[in-house]
Amino acid sequence: MRHRAWAFSLALFCLLSLRTGAREFERSRRTERISGSAGDVLEDDPVGRLKVFVYELPSKYNKKILQKDPRCLTHMFAAEIFMHRFLMSSPVRTLNPDEADWFYTPVYTTCDLTPNGLPLPFKSPRMMRSAIQLISSNWPYWNRTEGADHFFIVPHDFGACFHYQEEKAIERGILPLLQRATLVQTFGQRNHVCLKDNSITIPPYAPPQKMQAHLIPPDIPRSIFVYFRGLFYDVGNDPEGGYYARGARASVWENFKDNPLFDISTEHPTTYYEDMQRAIFCLCPLGWAPWSPRLVEAVIFGCIPVIIADDIVLPFADAIPWEEIGVFVAEKDVPSLDTILTSIPAEVILRKQRLLANPSMKQAMLFPQPAQPGDAFHQVLNGLARKLPHDEIIYLKPGQLKLNWTAGPVGDLKPW
């Protein structure tokens, strides 16, 4: 009876929120500030604030890998490819390394895919080591700081720990040669060995053109209360259960599979993007890692992200007001998810929807082609610019060494 009552209330709420929200948004859009932990959504122009030198590497580190498997252009780790392309034509690029603030090494470490399109990280450490050996042998800039003024794009599940399973990623740790570099990565979790303090957390890649093609009229009512499509169990990699998603996804299914407020399934329909635009809340639970493309999709489609991933560090957290646009649910509280979401006042939901409707919020989550002001490319540059000027302490004295080139698993030391 309670579920049926809520289903009726949901339909009424969706109609009222649509009409009221549209009027409120029109009245407030010129005056409402979108405040995050560091102020408004950052729209600073990074041009003139930093200069980046892009190392010219042999094509075996990037272009030839992509030619071998063009699927790398569309998977969720593709930021490493598009960031390279963006920097090659960006006004912040300098051809004079002596005037550079930052140095970038374009290595496509995720472009080694299984037949199913999943990236294999096992060659990545050797590939990265090989590239660093190359730049340290042919240019003087790495050696003067041992990478402290260099940044790398490492969009693997657990960043530069280079493994898709957390336990093994923790055992590996960050590749020793990257300990002093700034890592630009999708993985973000507080107090985790695979996230350094100076890292820049970015959104996973989601194809902008593909999402644009699935937009529906904005006046379509949001008639779905909670929406999720994806795995609840990973029997192949976690046959005993409980390890995948730390049991959070399994808890969602076990508690709410028969709840009419929850439209959840393992099936991935062709109307997936359209369905998200018809939903009020979109679940964004952790999987093997805390992050997933659902976070980007939810923001783009105006669906309030329900973030279920303890200690997650969200993309551009100093620029995007995640606390204002999302709902955070502790993993242990998943069994109470229905009570938590139905208890949120309508005016709070409307405010989150208004904030999500701000174009700058959506732009900051995308890597569009061509680049646009305020997009994820520019948010990365802003993050790098805010780290300047470099502290003099990063520059090493002649003969001074900080990194151990022979550290790490024996397999990582083999030539690539």
Side-chain angles (χ1 to χ4, degrees), residues 52-369:
V52 176
F53 179 76
V54 180
Y55 287 112
E56 291 285 351
L57 299 186
S59 60
K60 70 175 185 176
Y61 292 98
N62 39 64
K63 294 177 183 177
K64 281 190 176 179
I65 297 175
L66 180 57
Q67 289 172 358
K68 182 180 177 181
D69 198 337
R71 292 179 300 167
C72 297
L73 284 168
T74 56
H75 70 39
M76 59 185 173
F77 304 99
E80 64 182 358
I81 299 170
F82 290 109
M83 196 71 200
H84 180 201
R85 292 182 175 183
F86 164 73
L87 286 170
M88 292 300 286
S89 58
S90 171
V92 305
R93 183 189 180 195
T94 178
L95 300 179
N96 179 5
D98 291 320
E99 67 176 17
D101 301 297
W102 288 99
F103 295 81
Y104 166 62
T105 308
V107 187
Y108 299 170
T109 58
T110 66
C111 193
D112 180 18
L113 306 182
T114 66
N116 293 330
L118 299 175
L120 295 172
F122 308 119
K123 298 178 184 177
S124 302
R126 290 161 48 209
M127 183 180 182
M128 187 67 80
R129 282 180 55 89
S130 174
I132 293 173
Q133 287 171 334
L134 180 67
I135 63 173
S136 66
S137 301
N138 293 302
W139 289 274
Y141 307 102
W142 172 275
N143 297 320
R144 69 183 184 181
T145 67
E146 286 197 318
D149 54 357
H150 288 55
F151 70 93
F152 294 81
I153 314 296
V154 282
H156 279 284
D157 292 272
F158 290 94
C161 287
F162 295 126
H163 208 285
Y164 59 87
Q165 291 184 336
E166 184 174 21
E167 183 177 350
K168 294 181 180 178
I170 291 173
E171 182 181 335
R172 287 187 52 85
I174 292 173
L175 187 71
L177 292 186
L178 294 176
Q179 290 290 345
R180 287 172 58 82
T182 290
L183 303 180
V184 178
Q185 59 186 68
T186 46
F187 172 74
Q189 182 174 320
R190 287 184 293 273
N191 305 314
H192 199 285
V193 299
C194 298
L195 180 70
K196 294 172 54 186
D197 288 341
N198 68 336
S199 297
I200 296 174
T201 309
I202 63 172
Y205 178 78
Q209 293 83 359
K210 181 179 179 181
M211 290 190 290
Q212 182 74 25
H214 287 267
L215 289 176
I216 65 176
D219 59 346
I220 299 294
R222 289 188 178 268
S223 55
I224 301 170
F225 192 62
V226 180
Y227 187 75
F228 176 79
R229 291 294 184 273
L231 290 177
F232 297 99
Y233 306 90
D234 188 346
V235 178
N237 292 300
D238 182 28
E240 297 181 5
Y243 185 72
Y244 176 64
R246 296 196 284 260
R249 292 197 186 199
S251 182
V252 168
W253 179 251
E254 291 161 6
N255 285 281
F256 305 112
K257 60 185 177 183
D258 297 321
N259 188 321
L261 294 179
F262 284 68
D263 188 344
I264 58 176
S265 173
T266 57
E267 297 178 2
H268 204 287
T270 56
T271 57
Y272 173 70
Y273 284 156
E274 289 81 359
D275 292 344
M276 292 188 83
Q277 295 169 78
R278 296 186 180 98
I280 295 175
F281 295 105
C282 288
L283 301 186
C284 301
L286 74 161
W288 283 113
W291 60 272
S292 81
R294 290 179 190 84
L295 191 65
V296 178
E297 295 161 351
V299 171
I300 297 303
F301 294 131
C303 186
I304 298 171
V306 180
I307 299 161
I308 307 171
D310 294 352
D311 296 321
I312 188 172
V313 176
L314 290 160
F316 309 131
D318 54 355
I320 295 177
W322 289 107
E323 294 287 346
E324 296 293 325
I325 64 175
V327 175
F328 291 79
V329 176
E331 294 166 25
K332 66 178 179 60
D333 293 334
V334 167
S336 303
L337 194 54
D338 55 346
T339 302
I340 292 170
L341 296 180
T342 55
S343 299
I344 299 175
E347 59 269 21
V348 173
I349 292 175
L350 287 172
R351 173 171 167 76
K352 291 180 185 295
Q353 290 175 333
R354 289 198 302 269
L355 295 174
L356 284 167
N358 188 298
S360 65
M361 196 77 66
K362 304 176 189 298
Q363 191 78 318
M365 297 294 286
L366 295 175
F367 296 91
Q369 304 293 310

Side-chain angles (χ1 to χ4, degrees), residues 9-29:
S9 299
L10 169 62
L12 179 60
F13 172 81
C14 290
L15 289 172
L16 290 175
S17 67
L18 175 66
R19 294 167 183 166
T20 305
R23 291 196 299 269
E24 289 294 322
F25 178 68
E26 283 302 314
R27 284 200 297 266
S28 65
R29 61 178 177 159

